[in-house]
Amino acid sequence: MSDAVYRRIEVVGSSTRSVEDAIQGAVARANETLRHVDWFEVAETRGHVENGKIAHYQVVVKVGFRMDD
């Protein structure tokens, strides 16, 4: 691995289907606006309950990207 400098941002993904879909959406959207996205870390997971059932998933995702030289 070559020497590199990374930056980390937080984005929040949401989905009515699953935590995984919320993560996928957050990373995909970050990748649309950032170059060199290399990794992610799920920092928080939460959801919304309606009538005793999970209605909505939300995740805070830290996204790491390599900075240009």
Side-chain angles (χ1 to χ4, degrees):
M1 179 194 286
S2 62
D3 293 339
V5 175
Y6 293 86
R7 183 160 185 184
R8 181 176 65 185
I9 63 164
E10 286 188 357
V11 294
V12 179
S14 60
S15 172
T16 56
R17 291 188 300 248
S18 69
V19 170
E20 185 175 339
D21 280 352
I23 295 167
Q24 292 281 358
V27 172
R29 183 65 179 98
N31 193 61
E32 289 177 10
T33 59
L34 300 169
R35 290 189 304 272
H36 314 299
V37 171
D38 284 345
W39 56 269
F40 74 94
E41 171 187 349
V42 177
E44 296 178 39
T45 305
R46 59 181 163 262
H48 177 71
V49 177
E50 290 181 7
N51 300 319
K53 295 184 180 181
I54 297 173
H56 196 208
Y57 301 89
Q58 190 177 60
V59 294
V60 176
V61 180
K62 295 179 183 182
V63 177
F65 59 98
R66 191 175 62 256
M67 298 183 72
D68 288 335
D69 292 334

